[in-house]
Amino acid sequence: FSFLDLTLSTMSRYHLHPLAVIYDTPRSLGPSNCSVPSNVWRWGQMAASVVAHVDQKFPGLLEDYEIWNEPELSISLCASNATDRLNKYISIFANAAAAMHAQASRDGKTIRTGGPTISQLSNAKTWFPALLNNASTAPYVDFVSFHIYLTGQNEIWDGMSWSSL
């Protein structure tokens, strides 16, 4: 947790309250970062260990945890197709959020879990209801979020500036 501790110490000094994103698969649970964890229960327990660590070392600093980043993208969560990706994410979210909330409760703390961070808004109409209408995930969806990219590196290289944005 050394990198996390350093980052949270810095944020604490500046009175910031971060939102953490729990994502990627460690080698012990998959061949690549974007792999669906081979054991989603274990992945959830690992996410809960982050909550336990933060609650102990930085009480009150970190309360918001987003589970995975842009899981609708095949480069973020590697699954065979969009339906499989959504179903796998639901399983990941259900296991992680339940374990994280249980850990926070044991610590006498309150956290919020959210996700998915959708970047393709056309997917929101499928992904958000899938989480909100599922008995295993709905109790743990404290927030949903999405990214809107107005531009990218190519536009910057082409001379885009803040005023033209």
Side-chain angles (χ1 to χ4, degrees), residues 23-27 30-36 43 68 75-78:
Y23 69 103
D24 279 354
T25 300
R27 289 273 183 220
S32 71
N33 289 350
C34 73
S35 297
V36 173
W43 194 91
W68 218 275
I75 61 170
S76 178
L77 183 59
C78 301

Side-chain angles (χ1 to χ4, degrees), residues 48-57 59-60 65 99-111:
S49 74
V50 173
V51 172
H53 178 81
V54 170
D55 285 349
Q56 180 184 29
K57 291 205 65 165
Y65 294 88
M100 293 165 75
H101 276 275
Q103 180 62 55
S105 181
R106 284 191 298 274
D107 297 341
K109 306 292 182 193
T110 300
I111 64 166

